[in-house]
Amino acid sequence: MKDINKKDDFVRIFDTTLRDGEQSPGNTMNIQEKLRVARQLEILGVDIIEAGFPIASQGDFDAVKKIAETVKDCEIAGLARANDKDIDRAWEAIQNAAAPRIHTFISTSEIHLKHQLRKSEDEVLQLAIDAVKRAKKYTANVEFSAMDATRSNRDYLCKVLAAAIDAGATTINVPDTVGYTVPKEFGDLIRYVVENVPNIDKAIISVHCHNDLGLAVANSLAAIENGVRQVECTLNGIGERAGNASLEEIVMTLRTRKDLMNTDTRINTEKIYPSSRLITSITGVAVQPNKAVVGANAFAHESGIHQDGLLKEKITYEIMTPESVGMNKSSLVLGKHSGSHAFRKRVEELGFSLSDEELQKTFKSFKDLADKKKEVFDEDIEALIAEEVLRAPDVYKFLNMSVMSGSVAIPAATVEMEVNGEVTKDVCTGDGPVDAAFKAITKLTGTKSKLLKYIVNSITGGTDAQGEVTVRLEEDGMVVVGQGAHMDIIMASVLAYVNALNRLEHAKKKSVKGIYH
Ligand code: KIV
Ligand code: ZN
């Protein structure tokens, strides 16, 4: 095998949580939320942040621009199809970044050429060359992706990749767009690329795997073993359909099995869990409890034999420590006598980086909560921060509510809100207090979404626990999730509903659909 990528032998982490991840149902974020995630990705130490797809909508453009102007320690990539307009727009958004990268792509599989692009191989080859050359006029840092590479003719794929490198691409990406390949086949394909693209030593090879068959991480690792030195992945594995390769799983496999993999990343692994929690807090989309590395049960040992072994020596059943991924459980429980220093310390231990103003705001809510609740747990603090700081409202802001309900009264709710900057108030009756409150909100906002799901959970144990409500709404085929937490279940429901409506408004603004995966 050719001797490639020897100079700086580490795997670059190209995080696409804010692009491929954000475009998947339930994971939309507004500009403030995206900016917060980007800052966290910088703390996590990813090498490249794919901040979005600037031509897709004004909102995407603004978010990419803001991230490019704010984040200084990562490369910032903007996605562009292989045409002038997309590339110019991407550059406009990222030009102020400390290290901008244009990421341009076009499909190379016969299936996509015939049924989607309706172009010949020669035409697509030329478009790829032209796109890279156009991007190159703006920046030396250009990535080219051959979409649906795993279903492409290998020789044609190699021809396009070689031409893209000749045109100036410094990273060439081999995506498994539809999650079709398996590790052995994908490893072989990468080796084929290494051996049959004559100028391959002039570019970093990247992969981008989707998880339709649950193999995205395994496929990415097989690619690394065959010379790949950039992986595209997302926190919690969020992304189109079954998602993208999960960042935390790739990173921790490379770290834990460095002996076998002979390479590593530059990720600060102890920032993994807080980063994962941040995505969950913002989007309201929870990770499954048994999810590797970041799931609630990832380090929980239930069986007696395992517990016995662990008590004697951790290495018996623990291949990595919870601390190494930043999952530090505190024995310290906060209460109404806890001061701002203890609160700040705990917030930092939980991995949040809040401004002084944000800390003050959450400390006040913490005090209010501690007055009502004897013990305030980590989960309560996370919920407070999500409610007060992380979930940024767009057009709808909840202000006040009063409800009437009981065994004889007709349930009624009076809700006051700010809609597009204007304060407005209305009262509605309903089948129950939540129904009445939702009806009032629907009337005030003039929205017409359908409520698909309404779930109530208690954040911790006990009757004084905060309630956490998740709602799922649908409108014109768009599905969003909203979350709210409060000691009063009806309040939590209203917060979740308003949160979902804001997400829906944001999702509606995304205009270009169905053109990327
Ligand atoms: O899945 C895919 O092929 C993509 C490309 C834009 C890299 O997301
Ligand atoms: Zn993708």
Side-chain angles (χ1 to χ4, degrees):
M1 196 169 122
K2 265 192 231 167
D3 190 19
I4 50 158
N5 298 321
K6 271 276 149 68
K7 285 186 289 309
D8 46 2
D9 195 29
F10 68 96
V11 175
R12 288 143 192 84
I13 294 295
F14 176 112
D15 181 279
T16 185
T17 305
L18 291 172
R19 202 275 299 169
D20 221 334
E22 198 263 348
Q23 76 192 44
S24 60
N27 286 304
T28 53
M29 296 175 223
N30 65 27
I31 186 163
Q32 291 97 316
E33 293 167 340
K34 285 184 183 174
L35 193 59
R36 188 168 288 279
V37 171
R39 288 209 196 96
Q40 183 66 29
L41 290 170
E42 191 178 24
I43 293 170
L44 178 63
V46 310
D47 299 281
I48 304 109
I49 296 175
E50 185 163 53
F53 188 12
I55 196 111
S57 68
Q58 187 61 41
D60 263 46
F61 177 88
D62 294 341
V64 176
K65 188 163 186 298
K66 189 83 194 146
I67 291 168
E69 287 164 357
T70 311
V71 171
K72 293 295 161 218
D73 285 342
C74 309
E75 290 179 31
I76 304 297
L79 185 68
R81 287 166 296 185
N83 67 57
D84 292 357
K85 255 177 131 182
D86 275 38
I87 292 166
D88 297 351
R89 191 75 172 144
W91 177 248
E92 219 187 307
I94 60 169
Q95 60 186 328
N96 295 328
R101 171 184 294 199
I102 296 177
H103 176 196
T104 185
F105 71 97
I106 193 161
S107 294
T108 49
S109 69
E110 201 191 323
I111 300 174
H112 281 205
L113 263 61
K114 191 167 159 203
H115 300 293
Q116 192 179 18
L117 299 176
R118 303 206 173 98
K119 291 198 187 305
S120 69
E121 286 193 344
D122 285 346
E123 283 172 311
V124 166
L125 176 67
Q126 196 54 49
L127 284 172
I129 295 170
D130 293 347
V132 174
K133 283 191 174 158
R134 178 126 193 145
K136 203 71 189 176
K137 280 208 267 179
Y138 292 124
T139 172
N141 190 352
V142 175
E143 170 169 341
F144 171 76
S145 284
M147 198 179 202
D148 206 17
T150 50
R151 294 191 299 168
S152 302
N153 172 285
R154 285 187 171 192
D155 292 325
Y156 178 61
L157 173 67
C158 289
K159 191 171 166 184
V160 176
L161 295 179
I165 298 172
D166 263 347
T170 42
T171 302
I172 51 124
N173 186 30
V174 183
D176 183 26
T177 303
V178 290
Y180 178 67
T181 196
V182 297
K184 186 175 176 321
E185 181 187 55
F186 199 44
D188 286 349
L189 174 63
I190 298 300
R191 202 166 332 113
Y192 194 85
V193 166
V194 170
E195 316 237 288
N196 291 281
V197 174
N199 47 4
I200 197 71
D201 55 327
K202 296 197 174 61
I204 296 286
I205 314 174
S206 166
V207 290
H208 173 113
C209 295
H210 279 271
N211 206 29
D212 299 68
L213 294 171
L215 293 171
V217 170
N219 288 335
S220 304
L221 294 169
I224 291 170
E225 284 180 306
N226 284 283
V228 155
R229 285 299 176 268
Q230 173 179 292
V231 283
E232 304 196 353
C233 47
T234 59
L235 283 165
N236 298 345
I238 63 170
E240 279 281 327
R241 307 181 307 278
N244 286 63
S246 131
L247 179 150
E248 56 276 10
E249 293 176 23
I250 294 177
V251 167
M252 288 317 288
T253 304
L254 292 178
R255 187 64 51 93
T256 308
R257 297 310 313 272
K258 210 170 159 183
D259 57 320
L260 193 78
M261 300 300 293
N262 294 317
T263 185
D264 201 351
T265 69
R266 302 195 292 194
I267 293 293
N268 304 316
T269 63
E270 67 287 355
K271 301 292 179 198
I272 284 179
Y273 185 63
S275 306
S276 157
R277 293 293 304 159
L278 180 69
I279 300 298
T280 303
S281 300
I282 288 179
T283 62
V285 180
V287 297
Q288 72 204 56
N290 60 326
K291 163 91 176 63
V293 184
V294 294
N297 296 344
F299 294 91
H301 300 266
E302 191 69 27
S303 114
I305 297 177
H306 288 205
Q307 287 177 352
D308 173 62
L310 272 172
L311 288 172
K312 289 176 176 144
E313 174 55 61
K314 282 203 166 150
I315 201 173
T316 48
Y317 291 97
E318 206 167 71
I319 58 164
M320 55 189 162
T321 62
E323 291 78 21
S324 68
V325 298
M327 210 187 253
N328 308 330
K329 280 278 162 225
S330 170
S331 51
L332 187 74
V333 177
L334 300 181
K336 70 174 176 187
H337 299 297
S338 306
S340 61
H341 288 302
F343 180 71
R344 176 191 285 265
K345 188 163 173 285
R346 195 64 208 126
V347 167
E348 282 167 6
E349 279 167 4
L350 287 171
F352 293 103
S353 48
L354 303 188
S355 67
D356 286 346
E357 198 191 323
E358 290 166 344
L359 261 167
Q360 267 173 26
K361 196 170 162 200
T362 25
F363 182 62
K364 189 178 165 309
S365 310
F366 157 75
K367 279 295 200 188
D368 290 346
L369 183 66
D371 268 342
K372 298 181 196 135
K373 199 172 183 285
K374 242 188 16 241
E375 294 176 314
V376 179
F377 298 98
D378 288 351
E379 292 82 350
D380 291 315
I381 297 175
E382 283 183 350
L384 275 185
I385 294 175
E387 208 55 72
E388 297 284 343
V389 185
L390 302 182
R391 295 186 201 126
D394 275 332
V395 277
Y396 308 126
K397 201 166 165 197
F398 168 79
L399 297 176
N400 286 303
M401 178 188 64
S402 66
V403 286
M404 190 173 69
S405 78
S407 56
V408 284
I410 296 174
T414 308
V415 179
E416 190 181 12
M417 292 184 68
E418 201 180 289
V419 177
N420 284 320
E422 274 193 31
V423 176
T424 151
K425 191 173 175 175
D426 216 326
V427 59
C428 278
T429 55
D431 294 338
V434 173
D435 185 46
F438 282 13
K439 279 189 176 138
I441 293 169
T442 308
K443 205 165 156 202
L444 289 172
T445 55
T447 46
K448 49 181 174 31
S449 55
K450 193 166 146 208
L451 181 67
L452 299 180
K453 235 180 206 167
Y454 170 78
I455 307 163
V456 188
N457 277 314
S458 90
I459 291 182
T460 55
T463 50
D464 65 352
Q466 288 197 86
E468 187 176 56
V469 173
T470 307
V471 297
R472 189 183 277 255
L473 301 184
E474 191 256 348
E475 189 177 320
D476 293 337
M478 256 177 284
V479 177
V480 293
V481 176
Q483 268 202 332
H486 200 274
M487 282 191 73
D488 177 332
I489 292 294
I490 303 164
M491 272 295 296
S493 307
V494 162
L495 293 173
Y497 195 57
V498 174
N499 177 236
L501 288 178
N502 274 317
R503 286 187 187 285
L504 203 50
E505 285 310 311
H506 181 71
K508 279 190 216 161
K509 286 187 208 137
K510 290 182 155 271
S511 54
V512 182
K513 293 197 138 278
I515 51 173
Y516 47 60
H517 299 267

